[in-house]
Amino acid sequence: MTVLIYCSLAIMGIIFLCLLYRLVVHYQLDRINVKKTSILFQTKLNHFKQRELRKSFMYLFVGTMGLITVLSFAIIQLLQVETQIQGIRTSNLSLQSEVKTIKTKKSTKNLLKEYPTSGLELEKTLTAKDQTVETKDQIEKNLSEALLPYIEEANLVLSSSSEADSLNVLLTGSVEASNANLVILGQNISELMREAEGIKKIAEVHINIVDREGNDLYKGTYVRNEKGQFTFQTELRKGKG
């Protein structure tokens, strides 16, 4: 674009100098005193002036056309540059929109789901008869997978307590520590424990939820009180339920 401007200015300068030269020629011709000259000289001078005038008109015409051509070319180039700039602006807006959409999708994707009001049928699963070591492993796997939408990377492990017919539950997981996730996490654990409270077979529930860097977010143990209700003995609790 800079080269175009310089070229345009150079051409316009040449045209201006040519026209200025023609003006100087006519000025010098008009200064000639013909009062004391012969008729032949005056006739030749008039013919010369007419010829120079035709040259001047030709120079003026060519210069005008050249100037119009240069200006037209410059305007076309400016329009093309403006079109390119507009295209870049449109691309930038589109890119910003795509980035915003991706961020929104990513944020939505990482957001925990709310624990279902109907629960996860924990009682039906944990009180099934004729459980073996193999079925226990499958139960742990199924429950861990069922908890994934509500506690990311959830891993649930069952173990028998000192009493033959009671269970201890260890629940671990990892979530992205956004404010929204912490709120939902606390609510989900509260709903999970509300469902687990109805299962008399469960004696204790140990919970340890960390963030992506491994820092504790929700850590402690739920134990039953004298009324059979779960109470939380906290070690560190940041989830808001």
Side-chain angles (χ1 to χ4, degrees):
M1 187 64 185
T2 303
V3 176
L4 174 63
I5 293 175
Y6 287 150
C7 291
S8 300
L9 291 176
I11 295 173
M12 292 172 66
I14 293 172
I15 294 172
F16 175 77
L17 291 176
C18 291
L19 294 176
L20 181 62
Y21 170 74
R22 299 312 305 171
L23 289 174
V24 172
V25 170
H26 285 285
Y27 175 73
Q28 293 297 334
L29 290 174
D30 290 338
R31 291 184 61 187
I32 298 175
N33 189 356
V34 296
K35 292 181 178 180
K36 297 180 180 181
T37 59
S38 64
I39 296 176
L40 179 61
F41 177 79
Q42 294 178 11
T43 302
K44 289 183 177 180
L45 181 61
N46 287 331
H47 284 300
F48 184 76
K49 284 183 177 181
Q50 291 176 2
R51 186 174 62 184
E52 290 300 317
L53 183 61
R54 287 194 296 270
K55 285 184 179 180
S56 297
F57 278 122
M58 181 61 65
Y59 273 84
L60 180 61
F61 175 76
V62 173
T64 302
M65 295 304 298
L67 185 60
I68 292 175
T69 302
V70 171
L71 291 177
S72 299
F73 186 71
I75 291 173
I76 291 173
Q77 292 296 314
L78 288 174
L79 291 175
Q80 289 179 348
V81 171
E82 180 63 26
T83 302
Q84 292 175 355
I85 293 175
Q86 188 63 35
I88 292 173
R89 289 175 180 171
T90 303
S91 298
N92 287 340
L93 291 175
S94 178
L95 181 59
Q96 291 176 3
S97 178
E98 289 179 5
V99 171
K100 185 177 180 180
T101 301
I102 292 173
K103 288 183 177 180
T104 302
K105 288 182 178 179
K106 183 178 179 182
S107 176
T108 303
K109 180 180 179 181
N110 292 334
L111 191 65
L112 296 175
K113 292 184 178 181
E114 295 183 1
Y115 198 85
T117 55
S118 58
L120 298 178
E121 298 185 347
L122 294 180
E123 184 173 9
K124 180 179 179 181
T125 304
L126 295 177
T127 57
K129 297 181 179 180
D130 302 325
Q131 293 185 9
T132 62
V133 175
E134 290 77 11
T135 57
K136 173 180 172 296
D137 292 341
Q138 188 61 43
I139 289 173
E140 291 176 346
K141 180 180 179 182
N142 292 342
L143 289 178
S144 297
E145 292 178 352
L147 285 169
L148 286 178
Y150 319 108
I151 302 173
E152 290 183 8
E153 300 182 17
N155 184 41
L156 187 143
V157 178
L158 303 172
S159 61
S160 299
S161 64
S162 55
E163 300 179 14
D165 197 34
S166 62
L167 287 175
N168 290 339
V169 178
L170 172 62
L171 175 61
T172 60
S174 173
V175 301
E176 183 177 333
S178 64
N179 291 333
N181 266 352
L182 292 178
V183 172
I184 298 174
L185 173 64
Q187 294 172 348
N188 287 349
I189 292 178
S190 296
E191 291 300 319
L192 172 65
M193 294 311 304
R194 186 174 291 109
E195 184 177 5
E197 190 174 85
I199 306 173
K200 303 304 180 183
K201 190 175 183 178
I202 299 177
E204 294 183 359
V205 179
H206 306 274
I207 298 178
N208 186 16
I209 309 297
V210 298
D211 61 16
R212 293 289 187 257
E213 287 72 37
N215 301 312
D216 291 329
L217 293 175
Y218 200 118
K219 187 175 182 179
T221 303
Y222 282 91
V223 295
R224 292 188 184 274
N225 58 20
E226 296 178 354
K227 297 181 180 180
Q229 299 173 334
F230 278 120
T231 58
F232 187 72
Q233 298 179 354
T234 180
E235 295 179 39
L236 177 63
R237 186 181 185 183
K238 291 185 180 179
K240 302 175 184 178

